[in-house]
Amino acid sequence: MLLIPRPILKKECSMRFVCFNQKPKQHPNFKKRHVSTQNVDLPPVLPKNKKKPYPIPFKQIQEAAKKDKKLAQMGIEKHLDPPKNGLLVPTLVPVAYEVIDNWKLLIKGLAQLLHIVPVFACSECAAVHVASAGHNIRDCSGPTSSQRRGSHLWVKGTINDVLVPVESYHMYDPFGRRIKHESRFDYERIPAVVELCVQAGVEIPEYPSRRRTQPVRMIGKRVIDRGGYVKEPDKPCSSTLSSSPLADLDTLGACERYPPPTPEKVPKIAQETMNAYEKVRWGVTKLMREYTVKACGYCSEVHVGPWGHSVKLCGEFKHQWRDGKHGWQDALVEEVLPPNYVWHVRDLKGTPLTGNLKRFYGKAPALVEVCMHSGARVPQCYKAMMRLDIIVPDSQEADMVA
């Protein structure tokens, strides 16, 4: 730092210094220019021989547990805010209804678009491709992939290949008794998004939920007052799933329920489906900030509630050491609503993708890819990972690229 004294005038009695190392002050109304990312890589694929990383730092989890244990030893009741104490959050009830309405619209629109856009799925692994034919990238991870040198076995895809079904046990009282392994067939499995909306305030007669008027009280991990155990009311009788209102909430048989649209209606349906998908993701993210959702750290099991169930059906890494029990941790939005990334294809009827040009291809969620080829606008958040500004070279030109 250079300090240069200014000569003292006769009328001054102090010395002033000018600092040349000081940063210039910005105007308060000055706004930084937003620079958009050109290309974004997808999140890395987690190995199956390790546990998933915790969404919250483990040190922070330990500190919270020590604080709760200290309060429990002193006999002090834990302070719980809604919905952690079993009460509804009034401001999130409209959000839950908006999510359930867009969920129905999402299933309906996707089922109609699958009559127009071809989708292929690998019968050996979870790979999906949106094009008139499967790609030639050898990245199959199936059990017999070594015999085929990584080539996929493509079959016609379904709606469950695009919108991956994630189911959860429906509980009348999430703060009641835990689901045991022997009693797992007494509880119905429904989409996790629907169960989250039901617990957030959506009233569905076929899926009743206990609405508390008095909060749940806890000391540490022990519940001291849950208002007693209440028996689940009898469900209304329904003839079949296809004719009941519940059919709109599930992807089962959706392509058979909805006929193919006319060509002039396809762009409108595609845009409505894209908007519904974004609203569902926005609503689920907002609900999961308040309502607890648990996910297994080893497999894809998800449970909506304050704590996980005790069903012993985990078959992933070191499940023998845990007797098949799940390793519960806080869930991410991607675990409740998986994006299921696929390779981006610019022309459905073009040349199949090849492995030597893989670094020039982008990816996008399967649903976004289907809607884009049907005439919908691509949201800005997906353009970077789709690499729309990259010109894919020929095989001979790719060898000359550094």
Side-chain angles (χ1 to χ4, degrees), residues 98-117 119 159 162-163 251 254-255 258-259 261 265-282 337 365-379 382:
E98 185 178 359
V99 170
I100 207 72
D101 293 338
N102 285 278
W103 177 255
K104 297 177 183 179
L105 184 61
L106 174 61
I107 295 176
K108 179 182 178 181
L110 181 58
Q112 291 178 306
L113 295 178
L114 288 181
H115 293 290
I116 308 299
V117 180
V119 176
I159 187 174
V162 179
L163 189 63
T251 57
C255 293
Y258 303 108
K265 292 184 179 180
V266 170
K268 180 182 178 182
I269 295 176
Q271 191 60 50
E272 291 177 352
T273 306
M274 181 79 79
N275 297 339
Y277 178 69
E278 291 299 309
K279 290 179 181 178
V280 168
R281 285 191 61 86
W282 168 82
L337 195 65
L367 190 138
V368 175
E369 187 76 5
V370 171
C371 295
M372 187 209 68
H373 287 295
S374 301
R377 297 186 303 273
V378 180
Y382 300 114

Side-chain angles (χ1 to χ4, degrees), residues 82 85-86 94 111 149 210 246 248 252 282 287 312 398:
N85 57 3
R149 297 183 179 181
R210 182 178 180 180
L246 302 180
D248 298 335
L252 180 63
W282 168 82
L287 293 177
K312 305 176 183 179

